[in-house]
Amino acid sequence: MDKIALVLRSYLEDDHLSQRRLAEILHVSLGTANKLVAECIQRGFLEPVSTIYNKTRRYAHEDYRLSDTGKSYLAPSRVDGAVIFAAGFGSRFVPLTFETPKGLVEVFGERMIERQIRQLHEAGITDITIVVGYLKEKFEYLIDKFGVKLLYNPEYRDKNTLATFYHARELFRGKNMYLLVSDNWLRGNMYHAYEPGSWYSAVYMKGETSEWCLDINKKGRITGVQIGGRDSWVMYGPIYMDRAFSEKFIPLLEEEYQMPGTEQNYWEYTLMHHIGELEMDANFQPENQVYEFENLEELRAFDPRYQNHSDNKALELVSEVFKIPEAKIINIRCLKSGMTNRSFLFEVEGSHYICRIPGEGTDKLINRAEEAAVYRAVAPLKITETILYFDEHTGYKISRYYEGAQNADFHDPCSETVEKCMALLRTLHGSGITVGHKFDIGERIDFYEELCRGMEMQLFEDYREVRAHADQLLRALARLEAPGWTSSRAVPETPEGPHHRKMVLSHIDPVKDNFLLLPDGRVKLIDWEYAGMQDPLIDIGMSSIYTYYSAAETDQLLKTYLKREPTDEERFVTFAFAALGAFLWALWAVYKSMAGIEFGDYTIIMYRYMKEYYRKLERELPGFLA
């Protein structure tokens, strides 16, 4: 780092600066500070303003200001702007981040990202871009409040900060820029209008640490980086990159971004891999200056408000249910931020529990009163998770967490694990338990199609043809339904027909992740929000598409469930439900994408299942389609 430029910046910011204070700022001895000032005077960078003596006139303090020559020397170090990364979800900060991006969480009544923006403004830096992704709309107000710009990172869901930097790289090219993260909290303002050299904020960590530890030479240059260490200076907080650094760094970052297997890389991996080619100093920060809150418990320790008043609906609910202050809800971590719901794990008095928070818009998609009715109905079977709290209006649910439980592995449809899961389904289907509602797949298809409002036909060129095939399958299934359960597309009931099928309580969502294998050998089936009366073979068809089974594997799963060879009718019903289920979830994914929630290639996979399974039935079992 250019020490001369640092001296000039210090006098620019304070023309009453003593050389002793200058030594503290530069982290050098008083003698070195004196020599640097003398060199600046000799080169015409500083000019005296006044001489101030002490009371005995034995000591004189010179006030200096930058000359025009000094200003010209300092000019290339002018900071052009700042980029703030705010695209990530912040999984370690749930449940707060289910509702609010981490950077918008308040600390002592001030949002973390707003504090940093204000500090930048105080330093004269107003060209600020925030890279957004998760809950991007929440940041929009900052445009009006602070004049910032927003840049969307389309890969925020699936990739780490290497991708975030890649999408923001042009903001750094040819410029002097700060790189910040939205969830840092800085006690003092460490930003300046001028920065004479690239740096990474460094904090000293005593004892063992999992942070990124630095090797630093005597001049303060970073010479090496290792993840984890002991008693070390670590990367912690803001970064500054001058145009010379970015000119070398951006091509390296672009190259690493294109490499397979780097999707989950932090951008600092590129820095670590090429630190020998790059010039970056450590910007040593004192203790208690830079904070990166890893989780809610760290924030509680820092800001007492969060000990019992988080203003978070889920934590307030847990506090009420267990009749404890929020401070006793500990070891919180994200369990799932899934397709329909969000869940977090927490500990209360030595035991672990799960809180489910319904996703946005699920009140339109799921009848929670019906879900509650199913849980009550199947309670005697003891096959579900243990429910401690269920709100039939909001869908909030608190259940027991089973220590050591594992999700089922459906890789092999003939495996012992799959047989255990199918045995549970047989128990459910043969229990004789009924509820007062049906899972009507035809009605659900109509419902999601209406929600999509024509988008499905814009996305799929052959949608009308595929929809016609879905209608044909629905009519075929209706001919096989039991009396009294005909669907919205049912043909007239013919009780004398030979193919009526019995309706039973079905789970509808027997995805492998909803089967829990307990250490004592028991199997639990969780998440019953779609459950209702239906043909039992719908569970086999749905399970197969959730597992991405081939047609042959679906056949084998059906055999495992039946414990015998299936009839043609059973095969037809299973594959028809698999096709219709896939069509339904393809529409569901289209609807979700319209709300800004993407699930990768899931939409295409489901749509392909619909088409391929229909063709299979048309080819192998055409008699049921007549």
PDB file of all heavy atoms in Angstrom, residues 185-214:
ATOM      1  N   TRP A 185     -21.703  -5.305  10.098  1.00  0.00           N
ATOM      2  CA  TRP A 185     -21.993  -4.160  10.962  1.00  0.00           C
ATOM      3  C   TRP A 185     -20.656  -3.586  11.409  1.00  0.00           C
ATOM      4  O   TRP A 185     -19.837  -4.293  12.016  1.00  0.00           O
ATOM      5  CB  TRP A 185     -22.830  -4.580  12.166  1.00  0.00           C
ATOM      6  CG  TRP A 185     -23.354  -3.430  12.978  1.00  0.00           C
ATOM      7  CD1 TRP A 185     -24.532  -2.787  12.806  1.00  0.00           C
ATOM      8  CD2 TRP A 185     -22.716  -2.789  14.096  1.00  0.00           C
ATOM      9  NE1 TRP A 185     -24.690  -1.781  13.740  1.00  0.00           N
ATOM     10  CE2 TRP A 185     -23.587  -1.764  14.544  1.00  0.00           C
ATOM     11  CE3 TRP A 185     -21.508  -2.968  14.760  1.00  0.00           C
ATOM     12  CZ2 TRP A 185     -23.276  -0.933  15.626  1.00  0.00           C
ATOM     13  CZ3 TRP A 185     -21.193  -2.145  15.833  1.00  0.00           C
ATOM     14  CH2 TRP A 185     -22.075  -1.139  16.257  1.00  0.00           C
ATOM     15  N   LEU A 186     -20.411  -2.317  11.089  1.00  0.00           N
ATOM     16  CA  LEU A 186     -19.144  -1.655  11.400  1.00  0.00           C
ATOM     17  C   LEU A 186     -19.390  -0.601  12.474  1.00  0.00           C
ATOM     18  O   LEU A 186     -20.217   0.286  12.293  1.00  0.00           O
ATOM     19  CB  LEU A 186     -18.566  -1.006  10.148  1.00  0.00           C
ATOM     20  CG  LEU A 186     -18.479  -1.888   8.891  1.00  0.00           C
ATOM     21  CD1 LEU A 186     -17.923  -1.086   7.730  1.00  0.00           C
ATOM     22  CD2 LEU A 186     -17.644  -3.127   9.157  1.00  0.00           C
ATOM     23  N   ARG A 187     -18.633  -0.706  13.556  1.00  0.00           N
ATOM     24  CA  ARG A 187     -18.823   0.244  14.649  1.00  0.00           C
ATOM     25  C   ARG A 187     -18.421   1.646  14.203  1.00  0.00           C
ATOM     26  O   ARG A 187     -19.175   2.601  14.309  1.00  0.00           O
ATOM     27  CB  ARG A 187     -18.009  -0.185  15.869  1.00  0.00           C
ATOM     28  CG  ARG A 187     -18.291   0.660  17.108  1.00  0.00           C
ATOM     29  CD  ARG A 187     -17.530   0.149  18.315  1.00  0.00           C
ATOM     30  NE  ARG A 187     -17.912  -1.202  18.658  1.00  0.00           N
ATOM     31  CZ  ARG A 187     -18.994  -1.523  19.373  1.00  0.00           C
ATOM     32  NH1 ARG A 187     -19.818  -0.570  19.787  1.00  0.00           N
ATOM     33  NH2 ARG A 187     -19.266  -2.783  19.654  1.00  0.00           N
ATOM     34  N   GLY A 188     -17.187   1.792  13.734  1.00  0.00           N
ATOM     35  CA  GLY A 188     -16.716   3.066  13.230  1.00  0.00           C
ATOM     36  C   GLY A 188     -16.697   3.071  11.709  1.00  0.00           C
ATOM     37  O   GLY A 188     -16.663   2.023  11.071  1.00  0.00           O
ATOM     38  N   ASN A 189     -16.706   4.253  11.125  1.00  0.00           N
ATOM     39  CA  ASN A 189     -16.703   4.368   9.664  1.00  0.00           C
ATOM     40  C   ASN A 189     -15.283   4.155   9.154  1.00  0.00           C
ATOM     41  O   ASN A 189     -14.376   4.940   9.441  1.00  0.00           O
ATOM     42  CB  ASN A 189     -17.211   5.752   9.250  1.00  0.00           C
ATOM     43  CG  ASN A 189     -17.518   5.817   7.767  1.00  0.00           C
ATOM     44  OD1 ASN A 189     -17.065   4.991   6.979  1.00  0.00           O
ATOM     45  ND2 ASN A 189     -18.296   6.815   7.378  1.00  0.00           N
ATOM     46  N   MET A 190     -15.065   3.105   8.382  1.00  0.00           N
ATOM     47  CA  MET A 190     -13.738   2.784   7.872  1.00  0.00           C
ATOM     48  C   MET A 190     -13.598   3.082   6.375  1.00  0.00           C
ATOM     49  O   MET A 190     -12.653   2.649   5.732  1.00  0.00           O
ATOM     50  CB  MET A 190     -13.383   1.314   8.147  1.00  0.00           C
ATOM     51  CG  MET A 190     -14.353   0.305   7.581  1.00  0.00           C
ATOM     52  SD  MET A 190     -14.006  -1.385   8.146  1.00  0.00           S
ATOM     53  CE  MET A 190     -12.479  -1.737   7.277  1.00  0.00           C
ATOM     54  N   TYR A 191     -14.565   3.834   5.836  1.00  0.00           N
ATOM     55  CA  TYR A 191     -14.517   4.178   4.421  1.00  0.00           C
ATOM     56  C   TYR A 191     -13.901   5.560   4.223  1.00  0.00           C
ATOM     57  O   TYR A 191     -13.984   6.430   5.091  1.00  0.00           O
ATOM     58  CB  TYR A 191     -15.917   4.140   3.809  1.00  0.00           C
ATOM     59  CG  TYR A 191     -16.631   2.831   4.054  1.00  0.00           C
ATOM     60  CD1 TYR A 191     -17.889   2.789   4.647  1.00  0.00           C
ATOM     61  CD2 TYR A 191     -16.031   1.623   3.695  1.00  0.00           C
ATOM     62  CE1 TYR A 191     -18.540   1.592   4.873  1.00  0.00           C
ATOM     63  CE2 TYR A 191     -16.670   0.420   3.921  1.00  0.00           C
ATOM     64  CZ  TYR A 191     -17.924   0.408   4.517  1.00  0.00           C
ATOM     65  OH  TYR A 191     -18.556  -0.788   4.749  1.00  0.00           O
ATOM     66  N   HIS A 192     -13.290   5.762   3.051  1.00  0.00           N
ATOM     67  CA  HIS A 192     -12.613   7.013   2.724  1.00  0.00           C
ATOM     68  C   HIS A 192     -12.880   7.375   1.269  1.00  0.00           C
ATOM     69  O   HIS A 192     -13.194   6.506   0.443  1.00  0.00           O
ATOM     70  CB  HIS A 192     -11.104   6.884   2.934  1.00  0.00           C
ATOM     71  CG  HIS A 192     -10.720   6.498   4.329  1.00  0.00           C
ATOM     72  ND1 HIS A 192     -10.552   7.403   5.342  1.00  0.00           N
ATOM     73  CD2 HIS A 192     -10.471   5.269   4.875  1.00  0.00           C
ATOM     74  CE1 HIS A 192     -10.219   6.766   6.453  1.00  0.00           C
ATOM     75  NE2 HIS A 192     -10.159   5.469   6.202  1.00  0.00           N
ATOM     76  N   ALA A 193     -12.721   8.641   0.962  1.00  0.00           N
ATOM     77  CA  ALA A 193     -12.859   9.090  -0.423  1.00  0.00           C
ATOM     78  C   ALA A 193     -11.694   8.621  -1.282  1.00  0.00           C
ATOM     79  O   ALA A 193     -11.814   8.497  -2.498  1.00  0.00           O
ATOM     80  CB  ALA A 193     -12.974  10.607  -0.475  1.00  0.00           C
ATOM     81  N   TYR A 194     -10.540   8.361  -0.638  1.00  0.00           N
ATOM     82  CA  TYR A 194      -9.343   7.915  -1.349  1.00  0.00           C
ATOM     83  C   TYR A 194      -8.808   6.660  -0.672  1.00  0.00           C
ATOM     84  O   TYR A 194      -8.770   6.572   0.559  1.00  0.00           O
ATOM     85  CB  TYR A 194      -8.260   9.002  -1.340  1.00  0.00           C
ATOM     86  CG  TYR A 194      -8.653  10.256  -2.089  1.00  0.00           C
ATOM     87  CD1 TYR A 194      -9.343  11.284  -1.445  1.00  0.00           C
ATOM     88  CD2 TYR A 194      -8.341  10.405  -3.432  1.00  0.00           C
ATOM     89  CE1 TYR A 194      -9.717  12.435  -2.126  1.00  0.00           C
ATOM     90  CE2 TYR A 194      -8.701  11.555  -4.130  1.00  0.00           C
ATOM     91  CZ  TYR A 194      -9.395  12.561  -3.471  1.00  0.00           C
ATOM     92  OH  TYR A 194      -9.755  13.695  -4.157  1.00  0.00           O
ATOM     93  N   GLU A 195      -8.383   5.701  -1.493  1.00  0.00           N
ATOM     94  CA  GLU A 195      -7.808   4.458  -0.978  1.00  0.00           C
ATOM     95  C   GLU A 195      -6.556   4.126  -1.786  1.00  0.00           C
ATOM     96  O   GLU A 195      -6.651   3.766  -2.959  1.00  0.00           O
ATOM     97  CB  GLU A 195      -8.806   3.308  -1.083  1.00  0.00           C
ATOM     98  CG  GLU A 195      -9.978   3.377  -0.128  1.00  0.00           C
ATOM     99  CD  GLU A 195      -9.613   3.026   1.303  1.00  0.00           C
ATOM    100  OE1 GLU A 195      -8.437   2.711   1.576  1.00  0.00           O
ATOM    101  OE2 GLU A 195     -10.512   3.089   2.175  1.00  0.00           O
ATOM    102  N   PRO A 196      -5.379   4.246  -1.188  1.00  0.00           N
ATOM    103  CA  PRO A 196      -4.137   4.026  -1.940  1.00  0.00           C
ATOM    104  C   PRO A 196      -3.688   2.563  -1.971  1.00  0.00           C
ATOM    105  O   PRO A 196      -2.652   2.205  -1.432  1.00  0.00           O
ATOM    106  CB  PRO A 196      -3.117   4.881  -1.186  1.00  0.00           C
ATOM    107  CG  PRO A 196      -3.788   5.382   0.044  1.00  0.00           C
ATOM    108  CD  PRO A 196      -5.130   4.779   0.127  1.00  0.00           C
ATOM    109  N   GLY A 197      -4.475   1.701  -2.570  1.00  0.00           N
ATOM    110  CA  GLY A 197      -4.090   0.300  -2.698  1.00  0.00           C
ATOM    111  C   GLY A 197      -5.177  -0.635  -2.234  1.00  0.00           C
ATOM    112  O   GLY A 197      -5.985  -0.314  -1.351  1.00  0.00           O
ATOM    113  N   SER A 198      -5.227  -1.828  -2.833  1.00  0.00           N
ATOM    114  CA  SER A 198      -6.265  -2.809  -2.529  1.00  0.00           C
ATOM    115  C   SER A 198      -6.038  -3.442  -1.166  1.00  0.00           C
ATOM    116  O   SER A 198      -4.892  -3.662  -0.753  1.00  0.00           O
ATOM    117  CB  SER A 198      -6.280  -3.896  -3.605  1.00  0.00           C
ATOM    118  OG  SER A 198      -6.568  -3.343  -4.875  1.00  0.00           O
ATOM    119  N   TRP A 199      -7.133  -3.741  -0.484  1.00  0.00           N
ATOM    120  CA  TRP A 199      -7.008  -4.364   0.830  1.00  0.00           C
ATOM    121  C   TRP A 199      -8.229  -5.212   1.166  1.00  0.00           C
ATOM    122  O   TRP A 199      -9.294  -5.059   0.587  1.00  0.00           O
ATOM    123  CB  TRP A 199      -6.793  -3.340   1.939  1.00  0.00           C
ATOM    124  CG  TRP A 199      -7.743  -2.179   2.000  1.00  0.00           C
ATOM    125  CD1 TRP A 199      -7.513  -0.916   1.567  1.00  0.00           C
ATOM    126  CD2 TRP A 199      -9.081  -2.171   2.552  1.00  0.00           C
ATOM    127  NE1 TRP A 199      -8.605  -0.110   1.803  1.00  0.00           N
ATOM    128  CE2 TRP A 199      -9.578  -0.849   2.416  1.00  0.00           C
ATOM    129  CE3 TRP A 199      -9.900  -3.119   3.148  1.00  0.00           C
ATOM    130  CZ2 TRP A 199     -10.857  -0.479   2.854  1.00  0.00           C
ATOM    131  CZ3 TRP A 199     -11.175  -2.765   3.580  1.00  0.00           C
ATOM    132  CH2 TRP A 199     -11.629  -1.446   3.428  1.00  0.00           C
ATOM    133  N   TYR A 200      -8.020  -6.102   2.117  1.00  0.00           N
ATOM    134  CA  TYR A 200      -9.107  -6.893   2.704  1.00  0.00           C
ATOM    135  C   TYR A 200      -9.075  -6.610   4.201  1.00  0.00           C
ATOM    136  O   TYR A 200      -8.043  -6.699   4.832  1.00  0.00           O
ATOM    137  CB  TYR A 200      -8.894  -8.390   2.442  1.00  0.00           C
ATOM    138  CG  TYR A 200     -10.168  -9.215   2.472  1.00  0.00           C
ATOM    139  CD1 TYR A 200     -10.567  -9.961   1.355  1.00  0.00           C
ATOM    140  CD2 TYR A 200     -10.972  -9.282   3.604  1.00  0.00           C
ATOM    141  CE1 TYR A 200     -11.738 -10.714   1.369  1.00  0.00           C
ATOM    142  CE2 TYR A 200     -12.132 -10.040   3.621  1.00  0.00           C
ATOM    143  CZ  TYR A 200     -12.510 -10.746   2.505  1.00  0.00           C
ATOM    144  OH  TYR A 200     -13.671 -11.491   2.524  1.00  0.00           O
ATOM    145  N   SER A 201     -10.219  -6.251   4.758  1.00  0.00           N
ATOM    146  CA  SER A 201     -10.306  -5.996   6.194  1.00  0.00           C
ATOM    147  C   SER A 201      -9.864  -7.245   6.964  1.00  0.00           C
ATOM    148  O   SER A 201     -10.285  -8.364   6.650  1.00  0.00           O
ATOM    149  CB  SER A 201     -11.744  -5.633   6.570  1.00  0.00           C
ATOM    150  OG  SER A 201     -11.898  -5.535   7.957  1.00  0.00           O
ATOM    151  N   ALA A 202      -9.018  -7.045   7.967  1.00  0.00           N
ATOM    152  CA  ALA A 202      -8.471  -8.167   8.730  1.00  0.00           C
ATOM    153  C   ALA A 202      -8.711  -7.953  10.223  1.00  0.00           C
ATOM    154  O   ALA A 202      -8.497  -6.861  10.749  1.00  0.00           O
ATOM    155  CB  ALA A 202      -6.977  -8.329   8.459  1.00  0.00           C
ATOM    156  N   VAL A 203      -9.167  -9.005  10.889  1.00  0.00           N
ATOM    157  CA  VAL A 203      -9.423  -8.985  12.330  1.00  0.00           C
ATOM    158  C   VAL A 203      -8.649 -10.134  12.960  1.00  0.00           C
ATOM    159  O   VAL A 203      -8.562 -11.217  12.377  1.00  0.00           O
ATOM    160  CB  VAL A 203     -10.937  -9.139  12.605  1.00  0.00           C
ATOM    161  CG1 VAL A 203     -11.205  -9.319  14.088  1.00  0.00           C
ATOM    162  CG2 VAL A 203     -11.701  -7.936  12.071  1.00  0.00           C
ATOM    163  N   TYR A 204      -8.103  -9.905  14.145  1.00  0.00           N
ATOM    164  CA  TYR A 204      -7.312 -10.952  14.811  1.00  0.00           C
ATOM    165  C   TYR A 204      -8.232 -11.872  15.601  1.00  0.00           C
ATOM    166  O   TYR A 204      -9.047 -11.420  16.405  1.00  0.00           O
ATOM    167  CB  TYR A 204      -6.275 -10.343  15.749  1.00  0.00           C
ATOM    168  CG  TYR A 204      -5.266 -11.356  16.237  1.00  0.00           C
ATOM    169  CD1 TYR A 204      -4.255 -11.797  15.396  1.00  0.00           C
ATOM    170  CD2 TYR A 204      -5.342 -11.883  17.528  1.00  0.00           C
ATOM    171  CE1 TYR A 204      -3.331 -12.740  15.824  1.00  0.00           C
ATOM    172  CE2 TYR A 204      -4.427 -12.823  17.969  1.00  0.00           C
ATOM    173  CZ  TYR A 204      -3.427 -13.257  17.111  1.00  0.00           C
ATOM    174  OH  TYR A 204      -2.513 -14.185  17.536  1.00  0.00           O
ATOM    175  N   MET A 205      -8.112 -13.182  15.333  1.00  0.00           N
ATOM    176  CA  MET A 205      -8.910 -14.186  16.022  1.00  0.00           C
ATOM    177  C   MET A 205      -8.004 -15.020  16.926  1.00  0.00           C
ATOM    178  O   MET A 205      -7.032 -15.625  16.462  1.00  0.00           O
ATOM    179  CB  MET A 205      -9.598 -15.116  15.007  1.00  0.00           C
ATOM    180  CG  MET A 205     -10.652 -14.428  14.158  1.00  0.00           C
ATOM    181  SD  MET A 205     -12.185 -14.228  15.064  1.00  0.00           S
ATOM    182  CE  MET A 205     -13.270 -13.578  13.778  1.00  0.00           C
ATOM    183  N   LYS A 206      -8.326 -15.040  18.207  1.00  0.00           N
ATOM    184  CA  LYS A 206      -7.565 -15.852  19.151  1.00  0.00           C
ATOM    185  C   LYS A 206      -8.120 -17.271  19.183  1.00  0.00           C
ATOM    186  O   LYS A 206      -9.319 -17.477  19.068  1.00  0.00           O
ATOM    187  CB  LYS A 206      -7.643 -15.234  20.552  1.00  0.00           C
ATOM    188  CG  LYS A 206      -6.993 -13.864  20.674  1.00  0.00           C
ATOM    189  CD  LYS A 206      -7.135 -13.329  22.091  1.00  0.00           C
ATOM    190  CE  LYS A 206      -6.509 -11.937  22.206  1.00  0.00           C
ATOM    191  NZ  LYS A 206      -6.670 -11.375  23.581  1.00  0.00           N
ATOM    192  N   GLY A 207      -7.225 -18.232  19.367  1.00  0.00           N
ATOM    193  CA  GLY A 207      -7.645 -19.629  19.446  1.00  0.00           C
ATOM    194  C   GLY A 207      -8.006 -20.209  18.098  1.00  0.00           C
ATOM    195  O   GLY A 207      -7.694 -19.645  17.047  1.00  0.00           O
ATOM    196  N   GLU A 208      -8.684 -21.359  18.126  1.00  0.00           N
ATOM    197  CA  GLU A 208      -9.083 -22.036  16.896  1.00  0.00           C
ATOM    198  C   GLU A 208     -10.163 -21.237  16.181  1.00  0.00           C
ATOM    199  O   GLU A 208     -11.065 -20.680  16.803  1.00  0.00           O
ATOM    200  CB  GLU A 208      -9.606 -23.435  17.204  1.00  0.00           C
ATOM    201  CG  GLU A 208      -8.584 -24.395  17.784  1.00  0.00           C
ATOM    202  CD  GLU A 208      -7.530 -24.809  16.778  1.00  0.00           C
ATOM    203  OE1 GLU A 208      -7.806 -24.740  15.558  1.00  0.00           O
ATOM    204  OE2 GLU A 208      -6.435 -25.194  17.202  1.00  0.00           O
ATOM    205  N   THR A 209     -10.058 -21.189  14.871  1.00  0.00           N
ATOM    206  CA  THR A 209     -11.064 -20.492  14.071  1.00  0.00           C
ATOM    207  C   THR A 209     -11.251 -21.204  12.741  1.00  0.00           C
ATOM    208  O   THR A 209     -10.316 -21.806  12.201  1.00  0.00           O
ATOM    209  CB  THR A 209     -10.663 -19.023  13.810  1.00  0.00           C
ATOM    210  OG1 THR A 209     -11.663 -18.408  13.001  1.00  0.00           O
ATOM    211  CG2 THR A 209      -9.322 -18.928  13.100  1.00  0.00           C
ATOM    212  N   SER A 210     -12.469 -21.143  12.226  1.00  0.00           N
ATOM    213  CA  SER A 210     -12.767 -21.708  10.899  1.00  0.00           C
ATOM    214  C   SER A 210     -12.763 -20.626   9.835  1.00  0.00           C
ATOM    215  O   SER A 210     -13.105 -20.889   8.677  1.00  0.00           O
ATOM    216  CB  SER A 210     -14.134 -22.406  10.921  1.00  0.00           C
ATOM    217  OG  SER A 210     -15.157 -21.485  11.282  1.00  0.00           O
ATOM    218  N   GLU A 211     -12.390 -19.401  10.214  1.00  0.00           N
ATOM    219  CA  GLU A 211     -12.350 -18.300   9.254  1.00  0.00           C
ATOM    220  C   GLU A 211     -11.173 -18.463   8.289  1.00  0.00           C
ATOM    221  O   GLU A 211     -10.329 -19.346   8.441  1.00  0.00           O
ATOM    222  CB  GLU A 211     -12.237 -16.961  10.000  1.00  0.00           C
ATOM    223  CG  GLU A 211     -13.419 -16.638  10.898  1.00  0.00           C
ATOM    224  CD  GLU A 211     -14.685 -16.321  10.135  1.00  0.00           C
ATOM    225  OE1 GLU A 211     -14.598 -16.032   8.921  1.00  0.00           O
ATOM    226  OE2 GLU A 211     -15.769 -16.361  10.749  1.00  0.00           O
ATOM    227  N   TRP A 212     -11.107 -17.584   7.301  1.00  0.00           N
ATOM    228  CA  TRP A 212     -10.051 -17.615   6.294  1.00  0.00           C
ATOM    229  C   TRP A 212      -8.833 -16.873   6.854  1.00  0.00           C
ATOM    230  O   TRP A 212      -8.854 -15.650   6.994  1.00  0.00           O
ATOM    231  CB  TRP A 212     -10.535 -16.968   5.007  1.00  0.00           C
ATOM    232  CG  TRP A 212     -11.665 -17.718   4.341  1.00  0.00           C
ATOM    233  CD1 TRP A 212     -12.827 -18.136   4.911  1.00  0.00           C
ATOM    234  CD2 TRP A 212     -11.729 -18.145   2.979  1.00  0.00           C
ATOM    235  NE1 TRP A 212     -13.615 -18.777   4.002  1.00  0.00           N
ATOM    236  CE2 TRP A 212     -12.979 -18.797   2.800  1.00  0.00           C
ATOM    237  CE3 TRP A 212     -10.868 -18.019   1.885  1.00  0.00           C
ATOM    238  CZ2 TRP A 212     -13.367 -19.339   1.577  1.00  0.00           C
ATOM    239  CZ3 TRP A 212     -11.276 -18.550   0.656  1.00  0.00           C
ATOM    240  CH2 TRP A 212     -12.493 -19.209   0.516  1.00  0.00           C
ATOM    241  N   CYS A 213      -7.815 -17.634   7.191  1.00  0.00           N
ATOM    242  CA  CYS A 213      -6.633 -17.097   7.870  1.00  0.00           C
ATOM    243  C   CYS A 213      -5.605 -16.592   6.857  1.00  0.00           C
ATOM    244  O   CYS A 213      -5.448 -17.150   5.754  1.00  0.00           O
ATOM    245  CB  CYS A 213      -5.999 -18.162   8.755  1.00  0.00           C
ATOM    246  SG  CYS A 213      -7.123 -18.741  10.063  1.00  0.00           S
ATOM    247  N   LEU A 214      -4.884 -15.534   7.255  1.00  0.00           N
ATOM    248  CA  LEU A 214      -3.980 -14.843   6.341  1.00  0.00           C
ATOM    249  C   LEU A 214      -2.516 -15.025   6.720  1.00  0.00           C
ATOM    250  O   LEU A 214      -2.155 -14.987   7.905  1.00  0.00           O
ATOM    251  CB  LEU A 214      -4.306 -13.349   6.337  1.00  0.00           C
ATOM    252  CG  LEU A 214      -5.731 -12.969   5.920  1.00  0.00           C
ATOM    253  CD1 LEU A 214      -5.957 -11.480   6.140  1.00  0.00           C
ATOM    254  CD2 LEU A 214      -5.981 -13.337   4.462  1.00  0.00           C
TER     255      LEU A 214
END
